[in-house]
């Protein structure tokens, strides 16, 4: 089983995360930020990656540490569960429509973290979640998981739809990238024989 468990405790957050790359999209998520919970649940359901995410953060200060640290821990768990990445598809690319919104997400599990973000929001909050932190969440996941990640909002107006289409697109692209390809015969998908470095 390609699974991982991360426990990350600091003076700002206490986090427990478990992932199963070969799951069915079941989840148990509680970050203290309702809209972030909703987005991580969308990620799990549409990637078919099982996710347990329990976060106790310093929300009395603001949402930054909870958002950032949950993303770091999730990225670490995804990376650990992939191991040496032998046999994975490596790449994923998805157009993700939601009503009037269309987003595009493309990624490479390259071991070389990078985020290109061409999206934005016209309101400061979704539920109680600061929309400024959404880009930062993806940056932190990409850094911790070693993913080259390109996210682009092609068009859209409703901020809820924009965010959800991006998360669903990320989920479907990750599903493509982490799935094992039997034609690869367990080979690492790189002519260098390794990913990253």
């Amino acid at each position: 089983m390609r699974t991982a468990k991360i426990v990350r405790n600091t003076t700002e957050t206490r986090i427990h995360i478990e992932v199963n790359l070969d799951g069915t999209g079941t989840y148990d998520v509680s970050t203290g930020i309702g809209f972030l919970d909703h987005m991580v649940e969308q990620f799990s359901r549409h990637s078919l990656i099982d996710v347990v995410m329990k976060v106790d953060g310093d929300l009395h200060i603001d949402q930054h540490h909870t958002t950032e640290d949950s993303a770091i821990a999730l990225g670490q768990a995804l990376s650990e569960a992939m191991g040496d990445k032998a046999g994975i598809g490596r790449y994923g690319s998805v157009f993700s429509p939601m009503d009037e919104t269309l987003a595009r997400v493309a990624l490479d599990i390259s071991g070389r973290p990078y985020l290109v973000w061409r999206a934005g929001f016209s309101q400061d909050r979704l539920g109680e979640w600061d929309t400024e932190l959404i880009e930062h969440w993806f940056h932190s996941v990409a850094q911790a998981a070693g993913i080259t990640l390109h996210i682009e909002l092609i068009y859209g107006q409703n901020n809820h739809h924009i965010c959800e289409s991006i998360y669903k697109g990320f989920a479907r692209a990750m599903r493509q990238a982490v799935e094992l390809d039997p034609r690869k015969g367990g080979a690492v998908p790189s002519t260098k024989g390794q990913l990253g470095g």
Side-chain angles (χ1 to χ4, degrees):
M1 296 289 286
R2 296 184 299 159
T3 62
K5 180 188 296 184
I6 297 292
V7 176
R8 187 179 193 274
N9 293 325
T10 72
T11 58
E12 298 167 342
T13 56
R14 291 179 297 282
I15 298 175
H16 173 97
I17 289 184
E18 299 177 28
V19 300
N20 178 2
L21 301 185
D22 303 306
T24 59
T26 62
Y27 52 81
D28 183 7
V29 178
S30 177
T31 67
I33 304 171
F35 205 90
L36 175 57
D37 291 356
H38 182 45
M39 291 301 102
V40 175
E41 291 166 357
Q42 295 292 339
F43 169 75
S44 175
R45 177 57 51 87
H46 293 281
S47 67
L48 298 183
I49 297 171
D50 294 344
V51 177
V52 173
M53 178 182 287
K54 301 295 183 180
V55 184
D56 181 14
D58 56 2
L59 294 176
H60 62 287
I61 296 176
D62 69 7
Q63 300 171 340
H64 186 99
H65 299 142
T66 295
T67 299
E68 178 180 61
D69 292 2
S70 68
I72 290 170
L74 178 61
Q76 290 171 338
L78 292 170
S79 179
E80 183 178 313
M82 285 186 280
D84 65 1
K85 304 174 183 67
I88 65 168
R90 178 176 167 177
Y91 293 95
S93 180
V94 171
F95 285 92
S96 180
M98 184 170 185
D99 295 353
E100 87 297 341
T101 296
L102 182 64
R104 175 169 50 205
V105 178
L107 62 85
D108 174 13
I109 302 175
S110 60
R112 298 183 306 276
Y114 199 90
L115 174 67
V116 174
W117 174 267
R118 294 184 178 173
F121 301 93
S122 61
Q123 62 191 57
D124 294 334
R125 294 186 180 275
L126 283 166
E128 75 278 22
W129 197 23
D130 184 348
T131 54
E132 179 185 56
L133 295 173
I134 296 169
E135 177 183 357
H136 190 57
W137 190 92
F138 282 103
H139 178 267
S140 299
V141 167
Q143 287 290 317
I147 298 171
T148 300
L149 178 59
H150 292 246
I151 294 173
E152 181 179 15
L153 173 64
I154 298 174
Y155 47 77
Q157 294 180 336
N158 182 287
N159 287 270
H160 188 128
H161 294 168
I162 289 169
C163 189
E164 191 162 331
S165 68
I166 288 170
Y167 269 86
K168 287 178 176 177
F170 176 57
R172 294 299 299 270
M174 281 295 293
R175 178 180 173 183
Q176 292 175 13
V178 303
E179 283 188 343
L180 296 173
D181 184 344
R183 293 179 62 197
K184 287 185 165 56
V188 173
S190 171
T191 56
K192 292 185 293 188
Q194 67 178 37
L195 288 170

